[in-house]
Amino acid sequence: MTPDALGQRVRAVVDAHRGDRGALLPILHGLQAEFGHVSQEMVPILADELNISRADVHGVVTFYSDFRAEPAGRTVVKICRAEACQSVGAEQLAEHAQQVFGVKLGQTTPDGSVTLEQVFCLGNCALGPAAQINGRMYGKLDERRLDTLILNADAGTGNT
Amino acid sequence: MTTTIYVPRDSAAVSVGADAVAGAIQREAETRGLDVRLVRNGSRGMLWLEPLVEIATPEGRVGYGPVAPHQVPEILDNPDHELKLGLVEDLKWMKDQTRLCFKRVGVTDPLSADDYLANGGMAGLRNALETQPADVVKAVTESGLRGRGGAGFPAGIKWKTVLDTPGELKFVCCNADEGDSGTFADRMLIEGDPFCLIEGMTIAAYATGATEGYVYLRSEYPDAVRTLRQAIEIGYARGWLGENVLGSGQKFDLYVRVGAGAYICGEETSMLESLEGKRGMVRAKPPIPAITGLFGKPTVVNNVLTLASVPTILADGAAAYAALGTGRSLGTQVFQLAGNIARGGVYETAFGMSLAELINSYGGGTRSGRPVRAVQVGGPLGAYLPADKLDLPLDYEAFAEADAMLGHGGIVVFDDTVDMASMARFAMEFCAEESCGKCTPCRVGSVRGVETIDKIVAGQDTDMNLAVLNDLCELMTDGSLCAMGGLTPNPVLSALRHFPDDFAARTPHQETS
Ligand SMILES: Cc1cc2nc3c(=O)[nH]c(=O)nc-3n(C[C@H](O)[C@H](O)[C@H](O)COP(=O)(O)O)c2cc1C
Ligand code: SF4
Ligand code: FES
């Protein structure tokens, strides 16, 4: 993408939130929805548009774990590692997923298919272990079901 | 004749297949030519029964669960299918509760404004608008309602401060960051009865002179975000929000703001910073948000359940609410049974029931069938209680006396396979991960805490490192600006106190017999 084209698309997202108070977070969510990540190149554009320093924009982007510097894999798997899920085996599940996909939590497989992430609680704590796959919540997971779900999600089929 | 069938849309129900069950019902109805009205309700909160299908009959709603898609045709063939539970309202779990905050959750279609009105919705707001703002504040004060977000601060006192602080612009902010492990009631209320939160926030606005509201909703809850945004749109269309709320002349605009994966943003001042578009750095108090809150304006900050309890108080009177509960813990609390529990879910009851009774009689003990070994109440900053100390009444003061806290009402159960040293380590790891970074004891102490626990279980200078760990905890307790650093020692020290054996140097792991 040319810098001009990037600038235009970023500004369109900013414009959608012109009336919002303290609009930076909604804007960053908007950018991530549009581009899949919030890149370094976007920071000066935002600083300009919002009349704040680049350091401030950068500080906000990096404070929140939701905003990615790099695009994620096609399938994003967020495995809950909080206490309630730990009580029913979340650590083993996370360990298993890392082995199967050969990457650590927070990383993407080299072929760009799967990103594994940790999350602390998805609000499904009575039906753990829980995970979110491409924004959909799953409960009572075991190793086999998790594998199947991830493979299906990656193949773009079914979600049960 | 139309048959109404209910299948929850709640994301916990969906997480174990409710959408597929709903799909199967629809397909089956079509092929059989049945006249079925499928309602996607909230969840009743009996999560071990999800997907819970309810079929309306002249006697009431009959429940089946947990239902798998292939069982749908069987149930339609045979109403006495083995999954039949009977009338849902008559199940002990439901009947024994006092559902005020959750009275409509699981009963109605969450996005049906007509359902809402038909089930007592808007009565509280209508009553409120007929009295003076100060009278509304008085009612909330007299109800004894305390903040459900963790700290238990009296809601009426907070509201009075906002009302008494002059200002052209005031805000009502709902804290829906619900980051505590073991808690999901905020999510279930928003997904299951979003108008109740909207009504509660509108009452808070009227009572305090606020005209603008924000719900800070965590990004981990995409379904709740969607549902609440739709409900707000419907609310505007109905005249429940906007320039002229219910024709009263009161203005109230309401927005949803989505968090971005930071636990600390549940702390109210961090949340306000985040709402202002900044890093979620905790502010020093004073000034308190009620006086200098969002963008420096007077601001009500309350938890979802606090605000969702308000419509009932205004509809049925403060006295009725205050008649429930015990001591200074009045009304009902929405408890959440989680973790290794046979029957997990939401249980709303007056304060005062014993923790052991809730876990054993209602929760049915562990899901694994093994003995309960430890219970953490009140989220990741709450203490671990050993199995022989669960005979504790569920109220704020009794918990404080036991060096524990009720917090947001989350109860996480562990069986006897839990390793408490690793839970203590996790508490430190979590603090290190989620600290906003403002104070050294929290930011650095937690990292050192992880290292120190690692050394202890590795058998390195155990006595010295135990002393270091205790010192670190003391430093964090005394030198932290907020409860993140200040209370992380709770789970660590309680694990150490009640389960010292788990911290003994690791020889090859020994099974607990
Ligand atoms: C680290 C930390 C996290 C918190 N997380 C939440 C939360 O997720 N939801 C919430 O309502 N309150 C949370 N609180 C409590 C809030 O600071 C505040 O007390 C509460 O929102 C006030 O509302 P209430 O009086 O209705 O409980 C948290 C506090 C701390 C210190
Ligand atoms: S205690 Fe921790 S989270 Fe709280 S203000 Fe200090 S550094 Fe931030
Ligand atoms: S602890 Fe995993 S969903 Fe809450």
Side-chain angles (χ1 to χ4, degrees):
Chain A
M1 202 182 324
T2 65
D4 264 7
L6 178 72
Q8 228 168 35
R9 282 174 65 190
V10 171
R11 273 188 292 275
V13 173
V14 174
D15 283 341
H17 296 282
R18 282 285 176 209
D20 295 359
R21 293 185 199 273
L24 188 49
L25 254 72
I27 289 171
L28 294 175
H29 276 302
L31 290 173
Q32 182 138 308
E34 167 101 6
F35 297 95
H37 67 299
V38 180
S39 69
Q40 277 305 314
E41 292 75 56
M42 299 175 196
V43 169
I45 307 173
L46 289 174
D48 254 15
E49 288 294 316
L50 300 172
N51 219 357
I52 49 180
S53 77
R54 291 177 189 199
D56 281 346
V57 177
H58 179 77
V60 173
V61 174
T62 50
F63 183 86
Y64 297 97
S65 57
D66 276 6
F67 303 125
R68 323 170 176 283
E70 308 276 328
R74 287 191 300 278
T75 299
V76 178
V77 184
K78 298 187 181 190
I79 300 177
C80 176
R81 275 193 65 221
E83 290 89 342
C85 284
Q86 284 193 39
S87 78
V88 285
E91 293 292 277
Q92 293 89 305
L93 192 69
E95 195 56 48
H96 166 81
Q98 295 176 80
Q99 289 216 327
V100 169
F101 294 97
V103 290
K104 296 227 164 303
L105 297 176
Q107 297 179 340
T108 302
T109 54
D111 66 351
S113 62
V114 176
T115 299
L116 291 185
E117 286 178 350
Q118 67 174 354
V119 63
F120 296 118
C121 196
L122 293 164
N124 200 19
C125 332
L127 297 176
Q132 211 179 54
I133 304 174
N134 292 339
R136 264 183 85 98
M137 184 147 81
Y138 296 92
K140 284 200 168 173
L141 288 169
D142 54 26
E143 298 178 354
R144 254 192 47 214
R145 182 146 177 265
L146 183 70
D147 294 350
T148 315
L149 285 168
I150 296 175
L151 292 176
N152 287 352
D154 194 36
T157 59
N159 34 33
T160 38
Chain B
M1 202 193 70
T2 310
T3 308
T4 305
I5 303 184
Y6 298 83
V7 182
R9 53 182 282 154
D10 180 276
S11 49
V14 171
S15 85
V16 288
D19 282 353
V21 170
I25 291 173
Q26 216 133 32
R27 272 195 310 280
E28 207 57 29
E30 265 162 43
T31 43
R32 297 183 186 205
L34 298 176
D35 183 8
V36 166
R37 184 173 78 102
L38 184 66
V39 176
R40 301 303 301 270
N41 54 338
S43 166
R44 297 272 193 168
M46 299 181 285
L47 294 175
W48 74 98
L49 293 176
E50 296 293 357
L52 172 70
V53 173
E54 294 177 54
I55 301 180
T57 72
E59 290 73 43
R61 283 158 64 163
V62 176
Y64 301 84
V67 177
H70 74 266
Q71 291 167 315
V72 165
E74 302 167 16
I75 293 171
L76 292 177
D77 284 340
N78 171 20
D80 287 321
H81 192 271
E82 58 178 356
L83 291 178
K84 180 176 173 181
L85 302 159
L87 293 177
V88 172
E89 302 280 353
D90 287 352
L91 298 175
K92 185 174 166 57
W93 175 283
M94 294 303 300
K95 228 173 39 188
D96 290 358
Q97 294 187 58
T98 306
R99 286 205 165 201
L100 300 178
C101 192
F102 264 62
K103 69 179 158 208
R104 277 175 299 262
V105 177
V107 177
T108 55
D109 174 348
L111 288 174
S112 162
D114 293 328
D115 268 16
Y116 189 65
L117 293 174
N119 287 275
M122 289 294 154
L125 178 57
R126 280 183 215 284
N127 283 350
L129 291 172
E130 275 167 21
T131 60
Q132 292 302 308
D135 298 327
V136 179
V137 171
K138 191 157 163 275
V140 171
T141 306
E142 285 171 1
S143 75
L145 177 66
R146 292 167 69 175
R148 301 289 188 244
F153 189 81
I157 294 180
K158 194 182 279 185
W159 289 23
K160 184 161 185 347
T161 308
V162 178
L163 174 64
D164 291 346
T165 306
E168 286 285 291
L169 180 61
K170 300 182 189 178
F171 296 105
V172 175
C173 293
C174 171
N175 189 339
D177 202 47
E178 195 165 65
D180 288 1
S181 169
T183 65
F184 42 84
D186 294 350
R187 179 188 61 66
M188 287 186 59
L189 185 108
I190 291 174
E191 290 183 17
D193 192 16
F195 295 126
C196 181
L197 176 60
I198 294 173
E199 184 181 351
M201 289 185 75
T202 310
I203 294 171
Y206 176 71
T208 58
T211 49
E212 206 170 302
Y214 291 88
V215 180
Y216 189 85
L217 186 41
R218 65 201 296 256
S219 62
E220 290 83 352
Y221 289 180
D223 296 331
V225 171
R226 261 192 303 275
T227 305
L228 186 56
R229 286 202 162 128
Q230 286 172 333
I232 288 174
E233 231 171 83
I234 296 167
Y236 273 101
R238 287 269 173 154
W240 297 352
L241 289 169
E243 289 298 320
N244 187 7
V245 171
L246 293 177
S248 67
Q250 162 80 20
K251 170 179 181 298
F252 187 54
D253 285 315
L254 184 56
Y255 306 93
V256 177
R257 281 294 171 84
V258 181
Y263 174 77
I264 194 58
C265 288
E267 194 284 331
E268 57 184 1
T269 62
S270 166
M271 180 188 82
L272 295 175
E273 290 287 302
S274 187
L275 281 169
E276 292 182 10
K278 303 180 192 150
R279 298 155 66 91
M281 300 295 277
V282 173
R283 298 178 185 168
K285 282 189 275 192
I288 54 170
I291 295 173
T292 308
L294 187 62
F295 298 104
K297 307 295 180 198
T299 304
V300 173
V301 179
N302 275 130
N303 173 252
V304 175
L305 302 182
T306 314
L307 291 162
S309 298
V310 168
T312 295
I313 292 168
L314 270 294
D316 301 333
Y321 196 79
L324 298 163
T326 164
R328 294 202 295 120
S329 303
L330 299 181
T332 60
Q333 168 72 303
V334 180
F335 294 103
Q336 297 129 81
L337 281 170
N340 198 328
I341 185 93
R343 298 193 288 269
V346 154
Y347 195 92
E348 182 176 356
T349 181
F351 287 96
M353 176 185 272
S354 110
L355 175 60
E357 184 185 0
L358 188 54
I359 291 172
N360 297 319
S361 309
Y362 294 94
T366 62
R367 193 202 293 171
S368 63
R370 301 181 67 101
V372 174
R373 180 150 186 256
V375 175
Q376 187 179 34
V377 184
L381 309 177
Y384 284 102
L385 298 165
D388 60 2
K389 294 231 157 51
L390 302 181
D391 205 7
L392 203 59
L394 290 158
D395 78 63
Y396 292 112
E397 277 70 36
F399 265 65
E401 261 168 53
D403 291 325
M405 65 177 195
L406 219 45
H408 189 47
I411 298 167
V412 178
V413 177
F414 296 81
D415 73 9
D416 62 352
T417 61
V418 67
D419 169 14
M420 294 307 296
S422 84
M423 297 320 294
R425 183 190 192 278
F426 177 78
M428 285 291 192
E429 181 194 346
F430 183 71
C431 182
E433 186 84 29
E434 299 294 339
S435 165
C436 84
K438 198 162 186 163
C439 352
T440 316
C442 169
R443 188 185 66 240
V444 180
S446 52
V447 176
R448 294 234 24 227
V450 173
E451 295 162 4
T452 310
I453 295 172
D454 283 345
K455 286 183 190 152
I456 293 169
V457 296
Q460 283 177 33
D461 299 321
T462 312
D463 289 344
M464 198 262 291
N465 278 309
L466 280 171
V468 170
L469 185 60
N470 274 297
D471 286 351
L472 273 174
C473 285
E474 205 178 300
L475 205 68
M476 289 173 74
T477 307
D478 296 340
S480 297
L481 183 58
C482 84
M484 177 86 228
L487 297 183
T488 290
N490 273 348
V492 177
L493 293 177
S494 57
L496 202 53
R497 178 163 358 107
H498 299 302
F499 308 94
D501 293 353
D502 289 20
F503 291 80
R506 298 293 148 92
T507 41
H509 186 71
Q510 285 174 356
E511 274 292 305
T512 31
S513 56

